[in-house]
Amino acid sequence: MEQNIKLRKLMMKDLESYLELNKPEREHHKYNGPYFEQSTLNELEELVENYRNKFLNGEENVKAGKMIVNSDNDELIGAVNSYWKSKETLWMEIGVVIFNENYWGKGIGYDALKMWISEVFNENPKIVRLGLTTWSGNERMMKLSEKLGMKKEATYRKARILDNKYYDSVSYGILREEWEERM
């Protein structure tokens, strides 16, 4: 079921909400790369202040990717991103995080990532594939990837450590022609 969401750039008016939703104690950090060093509250506050200064200096694209927002009230829900895995071979990775727990379990990650995949392919006509990498402790992301038609392409066994327990790193991918067939 399509949600009433849209993807847009981070805006100055979002900064306080963005700060609150990304504080170190928020639940989403347990799933979104929890094996990486997390930002402290001071580091997060500095990041948000840096965004604020960029806005005040007239910049519009202060953060990579886009925000997922509720179309009805413009409330922040999460974010989508993309980055080059290998620019030389046109290999781009994508990701999604729903950092507002009030929106969990509603299919928003699916709808947002579906919109984002189409947007990334449309804006980058030379790209033939997109990848997504998660970890075996994030079962929802693995199911989401498969629901979107992504193929499991690699499992790097015991590549992530969290709380002294090993997890696999799991990579998915979808080719442009596979995506276009689905749409």
Side-chain angles (χ1 to χ4, degrees):
M1 181 176 113
E2 229 23 61
Q3 306 293 323
N4 204 15
I5 62 167
K6 64 183 177 183
L7 304 179
R8 64 159 173 76
K9 296 174 192 172
L10 180 69
M11 299 169 66
M12 175 82 104
K13 68 183 180 102
D14 299 325
L15 294 180
E16 293 310 313
S17 180
Y18 182 85
L19 174 65
E20 185 61 35
L21 291 167
N22 282 285
K23 285 186 173 176
E25 67 271 13
R26 297 302 291 236
E27 187 78 8
H28 70 88
H29 293 298
K30 293 180 183 175
Y31 303 99
N32 188 30
Y35 35 80
F36 293 125
E37 186 176 347
Q38 299 296 315
S39 296
T40 66
L41 180 56
N42 284 342
E43 290 168 335
L44 178 62
E45 288 171 342
E46 286 176 20
L47 175 69
V48 170
E49 191 57 31
N50 184 27
Y51 290 159
R52 186 179 322 280
N53 289 333
K54 287 181 177 185
F55 281 126
L56 291 172
N57 287 327
E59 289 184 48
E60 292 182 16
N61 296 321
V62 302
K63 181 182 179 329
K66 291 205 173 166
M67 307 311 298
I68 305 164
V69 298
N70 183 319
S71 295
D72 295 329
N73 59 17
D74 218 33
E75 181 179 18
L76 286 185
I77 297 172
V80 290
N81 66 8
S82 59
Y83 62 92
W84 289 107
K85 188 82 169 183
S86 170
K87 197 167 189 173
E88 300 79 9
T89 61
L90 303 174
W91 178 4
M92 190 171 269
E93 290 268 311
I94 55 171
V96 62
V97 59
I98 306 298
F99 44 64
N100 188 332
E101 293 92 355
N102 295 327
Y103 289 91
W104 283 12
K106 300 179 187 307
I108 289 172
Y110 173 82
D111 290 337
L113 205 49
K114 184 175 156 188
M115 293 165 64
W116 185 237
I117 291 170
S118 291
E119 186 172 321
V120 171
F121 273 137
N122 288 338
E123 289 181 0
N124 300 280
K126 291 183 178 179
I127 292 179
V128 298
R129 71 174 317 280
L130 290 173
L132 182 149
T133 301
T134 188
W135 61 296
S136 60
N138 192 343
E139 293 180 16
R140 291 181 290 186
M141 186 59 78
M142 292 187 298
K143 287 179 183 172
L144 171 59
S145 300
E146 292 169 7
K147 184 178 177 183
L148 285 163
M150 300 184 102
K151 306 282 188 260
K152 187 175 182 181
E153 295 177 330
T155 300
Y156 303 95
R157 298 174 296 151
K158 294 187 175 183
R160 300 293 186 204
I161 302 171
L162 181 63
D163 297 329
N164 296 316
K165 183 178 176 190
Y166 281 95
Y167 293 89
D168 298 339
S169 178
V170 186
S171 293
Y172 293 85
I174 192 158
L175 303 178
R176 179 184 293 275
E177 60 264 26
E178 293 169 337
W179 185 251
E180 289 171 350
E181 281 177 23
R182 294 179 62 85
M183 294 299 105

